[in-house]
Amino acid sequence: MVGDQVAIPGLGSAPGGSTSEASARAFGEENRARLLKRYFSSAEAVNPENAWRHVYRLLLWIDRTTGLAHCYESDKCQPGRPWYARSLAFHVWSAEALGVAPGELDKHIDYLFRHATADLAHVAARNRARLLDTVSGQRRPYEGMGLPEPGEDPELESIIAEVLDPFLAQRPSPAALRELAERIYAHVGLENKRKNLVGEGFEDTVSALLSRIPAIARTHTIHVRPLLHQVPGFRRPRANSKPRQVDLALVQGATGRRTLVSCKWSVRSDREEQFVSDFRDYAELEEAGEDFDYVLITNEFDPARLAAACEVRRQNSPLFSAVVHVNPAGPHAAYRAPVPARGKGIRRALGHIESGRLVGLDGWLRDVAGR
DNA sequence: CCAATGCTGAAACATACTAC
DNA sequence: GTAGTATGTTTCAGCATTGG
């Protein structure tokens, strides 16, 4: 699976010194920053038009159950279901937009996760090595009692042995089977960890893009996950209520204009509720008596959820000053397949794309840069 | 049958705390 | 002060259920 330069956890990591050491927390802030820096050091210079491609190169992934670029819940994307057609369309569209063959897309996306999981493997190997002595001490009293080895899964091992039997001159050693089983578990388990990276990784990515567009970086201060009261014009909450954090905040130097950004790779209905209550809390803590912008940046593909985000209101104006999709052409391509679908939600979502209520990352970045 | 909406759970990080 | 551990919080996709 993992393509480039992944040293298999063979201990004693010394990858020619070419990479700085991965931190102890593979998905942590420090390591993400390190990976982003590395990515951008050899990537095309960022501008509003290509920003979304960087987002997909860094974060988009292949759904292993379909082999296609992930755009929706996998149970609905299974072959034969309506979203399989849409996933196919999205996969082809994104490959074309990134200038690669559909069969090669997997090698050009998912940079952060692929590299972070490689680092994770190193960290795990390091920890295992470090604890080796402790482990044998723990097992010593039970030596010779035939206790199971960690990671042993006889059932899986017999499946492997059975399937491969016709091709093998001899049955693999128990140790080999056990290692294979362990590697399979590690591989399968990886996918469960993805959401731990995608959340803050998306915030980091958007921030990295903003800071690499000179017209924005020159004129704005960018805060990543600041406490609200670290943003000018917001006050500290009462001592007994906990401090509020914002995904991202932009402050324009010249005017003091403030933009609070909520970055959500995808959205669920309960989160939609949260948008409103978050905003209420923000407004409550505003002390400058000035308006502020509240922006949602997302890669959600569900038309109803997208439309809902565009339509949420607070009193008599839209909750979000702008609703930004990584690239609305993606959902647009998906909704058309195999024939222009037209459910109620899709209609609504398309309407918002056409009206400009739902904008692309490119348009929003141009807007910020042009302020 | 599909869309829409609601709910749940795995996993990780960050930090406060504890014991040495 | 340091290392290890418990707690709290956050993330988002998958799954379940309701609605049309």
Side-chain angles (χ1 to χ4, degrees), chain A residues 108-128:
Chain A
H108 298 269
I109 57 178
D110 210 13
Y111 182 98
L112 282 183
F113 189 70
R114 281 188 293 135
H115 287 80
T117 49
D119 296 337
L120 191 71
H122 280 124
V123 173
R126 216 152 53 199
N127 282 340
R128 261 201 308 278

Side-chain angles (χ1 to χ4, degrees), chain A residues 200-359:
Chain A
E200 296 196 339
F202 189 34
E203 296 160 10
D204 292 344
T205 297
V206 172
S207 152
L209 293 167
L210 287 164
S211 69
R212 281 174 175 77
I213 296 175
I216 294 175
R218 258 204 321 271
T219 54
H220 290 74
T221 313
I222 302 159
H223 305 262
V224 188
R225 292 179 289 281
L227 292 170
L228 192 60
H229 62 260
Q230 293 171 327
V231 182
F234 291 93
R235 63 183 164 78
R236 196 180 288 272
R238 280 183 241 298
N240 54 359
S241 56
K242 63 173 183 232
R244 305 283 328 201
Q245 243 185 337
V246 191
D247 292 347
L248 222 61
L250 264 178
V251 182
Q252 187 175 26
T255 63
R257 177 173 176 178
R258 298 159 300 171
T259 305
L260 304 185
V261 181
S262 181
C263 284
K264 305 277 169 246
W265 185 259
S266 72
V267 175
R268 288 295 181 280
S269 53
D270 48 326
R271 301 255 162 222
E272 275 166 31
E273 312 276 325
Q274 218 174 34
F275 292 146
V276 182
S277 70
D278 282 350
F279 179 84
R280 218 182 12 230
D281 293 349
Y282 299 158
E284 191 117 326
L285 293 169
E286 208 286 333
E287 63 176 357
E290 298 281 328
D291 284 342
F292 57 91
D293 292 316
Y294 187 33
V295 171
L296 172 68
I297 304 182
T298 185
N299 189 54
E300 179 58 64
F301 268 64
D302 180 305
R305 293 169 192 158
L306 272 179
C310 292
E311 291 161 15
V312 220
R313 300 182 71 81
R314 44 157 170 135
Q315 277 113 319
N316 50 8
S317 57
L319 178 68
F320 291 114
S321 348
V323 180
V324 184
H325 193 279
V326 172
N327 189 342
H332 195 264
Y335 300 162
R336 294 176 61 81
V339 287
R342 48 201 154 76
K344 198 159 131 261
I346 287 179
R347 264 229 170 102
R348 266 160 75 209
L350 286 175
H352 289 304
I353 294 175
E354 272 157 42
S355 76
R357 173 67 183 136
L358 182 63
V359 298

Side-chain angles (χ1 to χ4, degrees), chain A residues 92-115:
Chain A
V92 167
W93 171 86
S94 30
E96 192 177 342
L98 295 183
V100 301
E104 301 287 304
L105 183 62
D106 60 334
K107 299 183 183 61
H108 298 269
I109 57 178
D110 210 13
Y111 182 98
L112 282 183
F113 189 70
R114 281 188 293 135
H115 287 80

